[in-house]
Amino acid sequence: DALLAVQDTARLLKVSVTWVYEHVRPDAEDRLPFVKLGKYLRFDRRDLRAYVDAKRSESQRNPRRR
């Protein structure tokens, strides 16, 4: 599998590019899995799928009350 660029990752997750950058910062509470190649950030589609699946499981275990 080819690695995804920031823009591709944002498109895949249906979020903004800014959101992706916020979630790769060292102090981010909910950090996205990524690889840094020089100055470039790259994302593995399988890692992103695992991230989404984990978030889904977490949401099902801890539903928010309204």
Side-chain angles (χ1 to χ4, degrees), residues 49-64:
R49 172 54 54 200
Y51 173 86
V52 170
D53 290 344
K55 297 306 291 173
R56 183 179 295 125
S57 293
E58 183 181 309
S59 295
Q60 291 171 350
R61 281 193 312 270
N62 302 318
R64 288 186 169 196

Side-chain angles (χ1 to χ4, degrees), residues 11-41:
R11 209 170 310 125
L12 177 73
L13 297 176
K14 295 183 176 34
V15 297
S16 68
V17 169
T18 304
W19 186 93
V20 174
Y21 280 117
E22 288 172 0
H23 284 79
V24 297
R25 290 184 180 159
D27 61 341
E29 183 178 320
D30 206 15
R31 221 165 164 206
L32 284 172
F34 68 96
V35 175
K36 190 160 187 181
L37 302 171
K39 66 179 184 177
Y40 301 103
L41 299 177

